[in-house]
Amino acid sequence: MNLFVECCKWTAASEEEKIELSTCTSQCTKQLPCGHRCPLGCHHGNCPPPETCQRKVTLRCSCRRLKKEVKCNERDTKAPACDGECRRLIAEKEEVTITS
């Protein structure tokens, strides 16, 4: 992204002011290691660590019927286990496939 600053403002600015002048007001475009976009505004330096990511992700059981939403930084939480209804639906689907 190009950012235009008046020459006289840039040359008269302190180092701290130059950092402020060189950042736009948009959201940071960098991607965190978890795959989500950095939640901060445009900034210099490193983005926050992925352990602080608060975006929601969906965990699903193995048949993908049940779901559980957790924060990205809690992703290591166990996904929901298939229940009796999941097993019944899988058996029913297999029965239809066999008879077809």
Side-chain angles (χ1 to χ4, degrees), residues 10-23 44:
W10 185 261
T11 55
S14 68
E15 287 304 312
E16 291 171 1
E17 291 170 326
K18 284 182 181 179
I19 290 173
E20 190 175 319
L21 286 171
S22 65
T23 58
H44 282 283

Side-chain angles (χ1 to χ4, degrees), residues 43-84:
H43 62 91
H44 282 283
N46 296 330
C47 295
E51 302 85 50
T52 62
C53 184
Q54 297 291 308
R55 298 280 306 265
K56 288 191 177 183
V57 294
T58 303
L59 303 176
R60 294 186 175 270
C61 67
S62 59
C63 76
R64 307 202 41 81
R65 186 181 78 81
L66 299 175
K67 66 181 179 180
K68 176 181 178 181
E69 284 193 349
V70 296
K71 291 179 183 172
C72 181
N73 61 359
E74 299 169 354
R75 191 177 266 184
D76 57 350
T77 305
K78 285 198 166 222
C82 285
D83 62 3

